[in-house]
Amino acid sequence: MSNIYEIAEKVGLSPSTVARALSGKGYCSKESREKVLKAAQEMNYTPTHAAKTLKNKRTEKILFCIPDIYNPFYFGMIKGANDIFEKHGYYTLLCYTKHNIKEELRMIETLREKYGDGMILVSFNFCETNIKAVNESGMPIVLTNRYDSPHGNDNFDYVYVDTYKGIQLATRHLIEQGHDRIAFIGGNIKEQTSLERFKGWKDEMDRSGMKIDDRQVYVGDYTMDSGYACAELMMTRSNIPTGIVCANDLMAIGFIRYCNEHKIRIPDDISVVGMDNTDLAANISPGLTSIIMRQEEIGRNAATLLMERILDGRTYKKTIRLEPQLVVRESSRKK
Amino acid sequence: MSNIYEIAEKVGLSPSTVARALSGKGYCSKESREKVLKAAQEMNYTPTHAAKTLKNKRTEKILFCIPDIYNPFYFGMIKGANDIFEKHGYYTLLCYTKHNIKEELRMIETLREKYGDGMILVSFNFCETNIKAVNESGMPIVLTNRYDSPHGNDNFDYVYVDTYKGIQLATRHLIEQGHDRIAFIGGNIKEQTSLERFKGWKDEMDRSGMKIDDRQVYVGDYTMDSGYACAELMMTRSNIPTGIVCANDLMAIGFIRYCNEHKIRIPDDISVVGMDNTDLAANISPGLTSIIMRQEEIGRNAATLLMERILDGRTYKKTIRLEPQLVVRESSRKK
DNA sequence: CTGTTATGTGACATCGATTTCACTTTTATT
DNA sequence: AATAAAAGTGAAATCGATGTCACATAACAG
């Protein structure tokens, strides 16, 4: 609406003095300060963010990039991170990429333009192009996925819970309950995280000497509807599994919905294990056995690492790895 | 990393020419353009957002402010709005206020500093202070709540679904099913939206000649846990209702969870109606009767109105009101 | 071959807040 | 009273991209 020059004119002082009065830094007499503040109020003055940023090179904003807003998995991370950022007076701005690498790249570009001071990036499938973009931006970034760079030349921080191990826990749980036909509902294995999960299931099955065939592997997209669709497909086949490992809670919920609708009893007929231990897991019926993925902790740790880079100027890389944990509820039981 | 001056120096041209080469606007010879683009690439140049914004006064970013990230009600709105913004090359940045008016004000201030070009504001309790701040900012804003300003002097757009009517539909549905002891689980009526919902239930009960007492009204906070807690409290009392109207799906889900855990059959013992018709409503068991609140449509309309103000310079006020609608599922039936 | 238009380029002002520096006035110190 | 230190102020540079304007050169018309 107005700027410091207009205020300066109105109160008969120089813009420098107005700036000092408003910021409280540097010398400024009491009278001048009062006059300026009064005028600022009257003229409905607000500093222009862009001008401030251009000069001091800090936005005090953090970009938090998630693939999807429909998945409650991310909420905990956002909350955890936000708690930390808030303490430092930083704002968290959320953006979602719709599982689209192009969109992800656009957000990285936005960071690179210094629209924010740093970024927490939750990526399903961090591709070489985007890694390069992040590195070239020179901006602080924390990734919440494990990622082994083929060139080993990246310099961002990682905070993650081992999804591979998480799925292993889920699978082992069903094996320990005596199940021998165990199916896996995952995502497209072209995506890194989906591949990790798949491997977790496969390796654990192999280790226990279970025979696996392709028809035990179902591909969804982490939504409830896709879990439902996998159930539909599964039931058209013979030799129905007695245990299902789902790569996230949402797909497990969709799967269970199908079973409820078709009088398939859970856990009597089929045991189901989800992953992420979102709020829903405890609130649906039957309660869903799931894997705690420490979302809030990831968020807090990621935010802390980011603030270290932004405020303390740390330049070397840090990696934090957290352990997943099984929670048993009613959806799984001894065969 | 670098700026147009450094590029200018490197290629032996003036910053003006570099700017023209990069923007593609104005005259620039092919050789110059090529030299500049090559250098820009090599020097890893990215324009600085703040500098651009300071000059052209457009950020091409929209702030989308929601009270809470855990509530799936907002997702549809975000998606709908984002679809529109995307078409115009605008970015949607989400911020959440944790149901806190101070936080909401901070976001309004951020808009006022022109960190974004406009805002969609989903407020639970839009207070006078914040209304004033929005008005004084002079920035385009769309509210997704009904709000009757006591002074009638605001100038922002509204897009909303009538929550009052939504709850009326839910209540009438239970009445039509023959229920006569109908409880209401809502929010704190100090918040506008909670008050509207409460009135919807009360007025419909009155209209049908039902007697109401205070002990039929339960206060939650729109989370699943609070729905559970209300159920707990309800069951300690005598004269348990046979129909429950919940002010949103999440509380209904929490309520149902309690019932499942305590062998209270739904809908045989108690009929439950939720509100918002989130994805969950169809996916839990039993399927939850709910009220369609047209979230995506709200989002699309709100975004369209905002773009009208930003791109076409509309300055007068518009209000769009959408109708709620009942979806009957298994959680409610004839008494 | 002159006059006109189209191209290409650089100097410079601009957007608004911050900050350094020089200068003046006040206050404190011995 | 003399001197040092502190307080108050404004001019001007800065951050980086954009756009206007003046000027120069090229292309083109008659």
Side-chain angles (χ1 to χ4, degrees):
Chain A
M1 217 85 271
S2 56
N3 59 33
I4 54 165
Y5 299 93
E6 296 176 29
I7 296 179
E9 185 147 359
K10 176 156 182 187
V11 298
L13 288 163
S14 72
S16 322
T17 307
V18 172
R20 259 174 267 133
L22 290 169
S23 70
K25 290 181 205 159
Y27 294 116
C28 179
S29 70
K30 204 185 284 180
E31 306 121 83
S32 297
R33 174 166 298 119
E34 278 163 9
K35 262 197 289 181
V36 168
L37 293 179
K38 187 159 158 286
Q41 179 93 28
E42 284 170 13
M43 299 171 76
N44 189 19
Y45 169 79
T46 313
T48 301
H49 195 275
K52 275 182 120 102
T53 302
L54 184 57
K55 194 67 173 77
N56 28 277
K57 295 165 180 329
R58 289 177 305 110
T59 61
E60 293 177 343
K61 310 269 184 295
I62 303 291
L63 304 181
F64 197 125
C65 218
I66 58 175
D68 180 12
I69 35 166
Y70 281 86
N71 192 335
F73 170 65
Y74 306 112
F75 304 159
M77 291 179 39
I78 295 165
K79 180 178 183 312
N82 192 249
D83 287 348
I84 303 294
F85 291 138
E86 207 166 38
K87 272 191 204 142
H88 294 90
Y90 274 67
Y91 264 111
T92 313
L93 293 164
L94 250 51
C95 22
Y96 75 108
T97 60
K98 296 173 254 169
H99 286 275
N100 181 331
I101 8 181
K102 291 262 165 68
E103 283 291 316
E104 188 174 286
L105 183 59
R106 276 185 76 185
M107 282 316 312
I108 294 170
E109 292 297 335
T110 302
L111 178 69
R112 188 166 158 173
E113 293 173 0
K114 302 192 184 61
Y115 190 69
D117 294 346
M119 180 182 267
I120 295 187
L121 180 54
V122 189
S123 184
F124 247 66
N125 192 26
F126 202 37
C127 65
E128 284 296 313
T129 315
N130 292 5
I131 290 164
K132 199 161 159 262
V134 169
N135 269 327
E136 283 177 356
S137 77
M139 301 292 288
I141 282 229
V142 183
L143 264 184
T144 63
N145 295 84
R146 173 181 187 164
Y147 179 70
D148 303 309
S149 168
H151 312 303
N153 57 352
D154 61 277
N155 179 34
F156 18 86
D157 301 328
Y158 294 90
V159 181
Y160 64 93
V161 171
D162 197 332
T163 42
Y164 173 84
K165 195 163 173 187
I167 289 288
Q168 274 192 320
L169 287 176
T171 310
R172 193 182 311 156
H173 166 68
L174 288 177
I175 293 170
E176 284 170 3
Q177 301 300 307
H179 295 273
D180 49 6
R181 288 199 311 282
I182 300 173
F184 175 69
I185 301 182
N188 185 335
I189 56 167
K190 283 183 190 160
E191 298 165 343
Q192 282 159 26
T193 45
S194 298
L195 182 60
E196 275 175 35
R197 288 164 211 232
F198 168 73
K199 278 193 195 150
W201 171 78
K202 185 173 179 308
D203 290 357
E204 192 61 27
M205 292 291 277
D206 285 347
R207 181 132 56 101
S208 309
M210 304 265 186
K211 44 193 176 317
I212 301 177
D213 76 69
D214 286 352
R215 295 184 34 210
Q216 280 164 272
V217 179
Y218 294 81
V219 179
D221 62 2
Y222 298 93
T223 62
M224 295 187 277
D225 284 348
S226 74
Y228 185 94
C230 289
E232 253 178 337
L233 175 59
M234 189 182 292
M235 299 313 161
T236 63
R237 296 177 170 173
S238 56
N239 217 9
I240 294 170
T242 64
I244 315 287
V245 174
C246 298
N248 77 344
D249 284 353
L250 292 185
M251 292 195 289
I253 289 170
F255 184 90
I256 291 174
R257 173 183 152 215
Y258 180 92
C259 295
N260 283 329
E261 286 178 5
H262 293 79
K263 308 279 175 246
I264 297 166
R265 291 164 308 161
I266 291 175
D268 307 80
D269 299 327
I270 299 181
S271 283
V272 178
V273 183
M275 182 165 194
D276 292 346
N277 192 39
T278 53
D279 283 2
L280 294 170
N283 275 284
I284 60 162
S285 169
L288 180 65
T289 295
S290 192
I291 306 292
I292 295 176
M293 295 296 280
R294 310 198 180 286
Q295 290 93 322
E296 273 201 46
E297 227 173 313
I298 296 181
R300 279 198 302 274
N301 277 290
T304 304
L305 292 191
L306 200 54
M307 291 316 297
E308 281 176 20
R309 287 190 108 115
I310 292 173
L311 298 179
D312 313 340
R314 172 167 62 78
T315 51
Y316 57 89
K317 181 171 171 167
K318 272 194 187 177
T319 301
I320 296 177
R321 179 193 144 124
L322 304 169
E323 292 299 310
Q325 190 186 331
L326 177 75
V327 212
V328 179
R329 294 200 182 84
E330 300 85 52
S331 70
S332 64
R333 73 145 68 134
K334 275 221 156 34
K335 191 193 160 191
Chain B
M1 216 88 268
S2 55
N3 59 33
I4 54 165
Y5 300 93
E6 295 176 30
I7 296 179
E9 186 147 359
K10 176 155 182 190
V11 297
L13 287 164
S14 71
S16 320
T17 307
V18 173
R20 258 175 269 133
L22 291 169
S23 69
K25 289 180 205 161
Y27 294 116
C28 181
S29 70
K30 205 185 282 179
E31 305 121 87
S32 297
R33 173 164 299 117
E34 278 163 11
K35 264 197 288 183
V36 168
L37 293 180
K38 187 160 159 286
Q41 179 92 29
E42 283 170 16
M43 298 170 77
N44 189 17
Y45 168 79
T46 314
T48 301
H49 195 276
K52 275 180 120 103
T53 302
L54 184 57
K55 196 66 173 74
N56 28 282
K57 296 167 180 327
R58 290 178 304 111
T59 61
E60 293 178 342
K61 310 269 186 292
I62 302 291
L63 304 181
F64 196 124
C65 216
I66 58 176
D68 180 14
I69 36 165
Y70 281 85
N71 192 335
F73 170 66
Y74 307 111
F75 304 161
M77 290 179 38
I78 295 164
K79 181 177 181 312
N82 192 250
D83 287 347
I84 303 294
F85 291 138
E86 208 168 37
K87 273 192 205 142
H88 294 91
Y90 274 68
Y91 264 113
T92 313
L93 294 164
L94 252 49
C95 22
Y96 75 108
T97 60
K98 298 173 251 165
H99 286 274
N100 182 330
I101 10 182
K102 291 262 165 65
E103 283 291 317
E104 188 174 285
L105 183 60
R106 276 185 76 185
M107 281 318 309
I108 295 170
E109 292 297 334
T110 302
L111 178 68
R112 188 166 159 173
E113 292 173 0
K114 302 195 183 58
Y115 190 68
D117 294 345
M119 179 182 267
I120 294 186
L121 179 55
V122 188
S123 183
F124 247 65
N125 193 24
F126 202 37
C127 65
E128 284 296 313
T129 315
N130 292 6
I131 291 164
K132 196 159 160 266
V134 170
N135 269 327
E136 281 175 357
S137 77
M139 301 291 288
I141 281 228
V142 182
L143 265 183
T144 64
N145 295 84
R146 174 182 187 163
Y147 179 70
D148 303 309
S149 169
H151 312 305
N153 57 352
D154 61 275
N155 180 33
F156 16 88
D157 301 327
Y158 293 90
V159 180
Y160 65 93
V161 170
D162 197 333
T163 41
Y164 173 84
K165 196 164 173 186
I167 290 288
Q168 274 193 320
L169 286 177
T171 311
R172 193 180 312 156
H173 167 67
L174 289 177
I175 293 171
E176 283 170 1
Q177 301 300 305
H179 295 274
D180 49 4
R181 290 199 308 285
I182 300 173
F184 175 70
I185 301 183
N188 185 333
I189 56 166
K190 283 184 189 157
E191 298 165 342
Q192 282 158 26
T193 46
S194 298
L195 182 60
E196 275 174 37
R197 287 164 212 234
F198 168 72
K199 278 194 194 149
W201 171 77
K202 185 171 178 308
D203 290 355
E204 193 60 27
M205 292 291 277
D206 286 347
R207 180 130 57 102
S208 310
M210 303 264 185
K211 43 196 177 314
I212 301 176
D213 77 70
D214 285 354
R215 295 180 38 207
Q216 280 164 272
V217 179
Y218 294 81
V219 179
D221 62 1
Y222 298 92
T223 62
M224 294 187 278
D225 284 349
S226 74
Y228 186 93
C230 290
E232 256 177 335
L233 176 58
M234 189 183 294
M235 300 312 161
T236 62
R237 295 179 172 172
S238 57
N239 216 10
I240 293 170
T242 63
I244 315 286
V245 174
C246 297
N248 76 345
D249 284 353
L250 292 184
M251 293 195 288
I253 290 170
F255 185 91
I256 291 174
R257 173 184 152 213
Y258 179 92
C259 295
N260 283 330
E261 285 178 5
H262 294 80
K263 309 279 176 245
I264 297 166
R265 291 164 309 161
I266 291 176
D268 307 80
D269 300 328
I270 299 182
S271 284
V272 178
V273 183
M275 182 166 194
D276 293 345
N277 191 41
T278 54
D279 283 1
L280 295 169
N283 276 283
I284 62 163
S285 169
L288 180 64
T289 295
S290 191
I291 307 291
I292 296 176
M293 295 297 279
R294 310 200 177 285
Q295 291 93 320
E296 272 200 47
E297 229 173 312
I298 296 181
R300 278 199 303 272
N301 278 290
T304 305
L305 292 190
L306 200 54
M307 291 317 296
E308 282 176 18
R309 286 191 109 114
I310 293 172
L311 298 180
D312 312 340
R314 172 167 63 78
T315 51
Y316 58 89
K317 182 170 171 169
K318 272 194 188 176
T319 302
I320 296 177
R321 177 192 145 125
L322 303 169
E323 293 299 310
Q325 189 186 331
L326 178 74
V327 212
V328 179
R329 294 198 183 85
E330 300 85 54
S331 71
S332 64
R333 73 145 67 135
K334 274 221 154 36
K335 192 192 159 192

